[in-house]
Amino acid sequence: MRGPSRPPAERRILLETMGLVEFSRMAAPQAAASAPRPEPHEPRPAAVAVHTPIAAAASAEVVKASDLESLDAVHAAVRSCRACGLCDTRKQAVPGVGHAHAHWMVVGEGPGEQEDVQGEPFVGASGALLDAMLATLGLERNPGPPSRQVFIANAVKCRPPGNRTPSADELAACRPFLQQQLALVRPRMVLALGRVAAQSLLGSEAPVGRLRGKVHQLHDGTPVVVSYHPAYLLRQPWEKARAWEDLCLAASHLDSKGQP
Ligand code: SF4
């Protein structure tokens, strides 16, 4: 296992970057007082729950993403897509970034204000926290070998106005692009960050609190671990301990399969 088996000093620095030392020193609010203390060396056993594949395209207007045979083609189609109303208010579409064959894939909800401007997912404060979280696993979004890189994408590729939650129709319209990104990258592990990403991938309406803590599977067997969105962790920093548990679970699952 990469991140959790790092030397203690290096891991401590990374956890401090995630804010976990701060977490351990702060008084947790009453609602979180019963939260289990993270056990980086003893992640919970993975309980596997098999889910149906993410739904097929719901809109006839959607480009046949499954016909697009490269990420470049998918991303070009995303940039010119007008399959849902989010195209009317976006500055630009945000297809995703990362190695075409990254071993890990991160899926978030949708672009926010800064992502809409910069054209890259997870920038700003939540992007910095995501990068710190990934660093605990030895992963980074900058160019490198696929075993160290992540592909980062969102459930919808265009910013919902005012950062509202994407509607079911918008998620359905955009899902073929996410499906094709998954089919082309073929990640060994998917981290679904936040309720919308988890529900879009798994077809479940359960909250994150009920979806996390186990390894789910897409129809092709790709494992999915659900955790909190970094933007949520910035608002509820005491939940970072649980996010750390989720990262340990994902890493230990791959470790158990003998996969880097
Ligand atoms: Fe197309 Fe997705 Fe953007 Fe909607 S959110 S316009 S489906 S790329």
Side-chain angles (χ1 to χ4, degrees):
M1 193 191 315
R2 283 166 296 175
S5 62
R6 284 169 175 272
E10 184 181 354
R11 188 174 63 247
R12 178 178 53 76
I13 292 169
L14 290 168
L15 288 174
E16 283 179 352
T17 307
M18 275 184 72
L20 281 170
V21 170
E22 179 189 8
F23 160 80
S24 68
R25 290 174 181 159
M26 68 189 290
Q30 201 136 19
S34 61
R37 191 186 169 93
E39 296 289 346
H41 299 291
E42 297 178 357
R44 284 181 286 177
V48 176
V50 178
H51 286 262
T52 54
I54 52 182
S59 168
E61 295 179 71
V62 173
V63 171
K64 278 193 178 174
S66 59
D67 290 345
L68 303 171
E69 295 181 348
S70 71
L71 281 177
D72 285 346
V74 173
H75 295 181
V78 165
R79 290 190 180 95
S80 61
C81 177
R82 302 192 63 80
C84 82
L86 297 182
C87 66
D88 292 330
T89 49
R90 71 186 178 204
K91 287 189 170 59
Q92 60 185 310
V94 184
V97 293
H99 196 289
H101 301 293
H103 290 187
W104 291 66
M105 187 159 166
V106 170
V107 179
E109 178 176 318
E113 184 177 13
Q114 285 306 310
E115 288 84 358
D116 188 43
V117 170
Q118 297 183 35
E120 182 169 335
F122 286 98
V123 298
S126 49
L129 178 56
L130 175 65
D131 289 348
M133 293 165 65
L134 296 174
T136 65
L137 298 172
L139 302 171
E140 52 189 280
R141 69 168 82 193
N142 297 318
S147 61
R148 285 183 60 84
Q149 266 213 284
V150 287
F151 189 90
I152 304 174
N154 280 311
V156 294
K157 314 302 188 192
C158 303
R159 182 194 181 204
N163 293 348
R164 65 164 169 78
T165 301
S167 70
D169 285 349
E170 290 158 355
L171 285 165
C174 213
R175 192 170 290 125
F177 292 127
L178 178 59
Q179 283 181 305
Q180 193 62 3
Q181 287 173 318
L182 283 161
L184 292 168
V185 176
R186 301 185 66 183
R188 298 178 180 186
M189 172 59 68
V190 176
L191 290 174
L193 302 183
R195 177 180 62 84
V196 171
Q199 293 179 353
S200 185
L201 282 167
L202 301 177
S204 167
E205 295 187 355
V208 171
R210 292 232 313 273
L211 292 172
R212 60 172 294 277
K214 60 190 74 147
V215 180
H216 306 265
Q217 287 183 342
L218 300 181
H219 68 290
D220 62 355
T222 303
V224 178
V225 168
V226 175
S227 191
Y228 297 107
H229 193 284
Y232 172 81
L233 294 175
L234 290 171
R235 297 192 303 272
Q236 315 280 351
W238 49 87
E239 298 283 29
K240 289 177 182 174
R242 287 181 170 147
W244 172 239
E245 286 182 321
D246 299 332
L247 298 183
C248 290
L249 171 61
S252 65
H253 179 78
L254 284 189
D255 205 34
S256 72
K257 302 286 182 190
Q259 295 177 331

